[in-house]
Amino acid sequence: MQKDDDGTDKEYEWFSYYISVTSVLALIIIWSLLPDDGLWSNSVFKAVLDILPQRNWVIYSQCLVLMGMLYGYFAILMYNEDVLTPPLDDLRTITDSKGETIICANDVELVQKYAFKESSGIIDLPIMDVCEILYAKDNGNVL
């Protein structure tokens, strides 16, 4: 059993929370499904039912919570997309902190050294060199 700093058992506390929340939920469901007229109108429970708010507020509050969750999910999605996602021209989109990036002095050395060979590093070839390699008529005489 997990003990708190003062020695009390947390399991009993969380179990009592579970029982109380489940009981409140069950009472709300029963109260929202009971008819207004008939059995409850002449009983002792009429005074208790008059204290509670109108039953429409149960539906309104549930809709409010569900729409709040929906807006929360969209807000988190937009925050992740707009704030936490790096721009497309950032090096973090193709590599992580463990990757080795290759830096060459000029494009000719870059293409000759890495375009037709498998490398252990991560590199972003210039788009003009890629187009020249892919679409040139004679691939053997590149640069």
Side-chain angles (χ1 to χ4, degrees), residues 18 20 67 69 73 90 100 131 137 139:
Y18 170 75
S20 61
M67 290 307 292
M69 288 172 54
Y73 291 147
D90 193 358
E100 296 178 20
C131 290
K137 290 183 181 179
N139 285 341

Side-chain angles (χ1 to χ4, degrees), residues 33-46 49 55:
L33 296 176
L34 287 177
D36 286 335
D37 301 344
L39 184 63
W40 300 102
S41 61
N42 296 328
S43 68
V44 179
F45 297 110
K46 183 171 172 56
L49 291 176
R55 291 187 182 146

Side-chain angles (χ1 to χ4, degrees), residues 34-101:
L34 287 177
D36 286 335
D37 301 344
L39 184 63
W40 300 102
S41 61
N42 296 328
S43 68
V44 179
F45 297 110
K46 183 171 172 56
V48 175
L49 291 176
D50 287 339
I51 294 172
L52 297 174
Q54 293 179 354
R55 291 187 182 146
N56 296 344
W57 287 103
V58 172
I59 296 171
Y60 299 154
S61 63
Q62 291 173 357
C63 291
L64 182 67
V65 167
L66 288 175
M67 290 307 292
M69 288 172 54
L70 181 68
Y71 288 141
Y73 291 147
F74 278 118
I76 290 171
L77 177 70
M78 293 300 123
Y79 177 76
N80 285 339
E81 187 173 327
D82 292 339
V83 176
L84 298 180
T85 303
L88 289 177
D89 60 347
D90 193 358
L91 194 58
R92 291 177 294 171
T93 58
I94 60 170
T95 185
D96 58 359
S97 62
K98 302 293 182 185
E100 296 178 20
T101 56

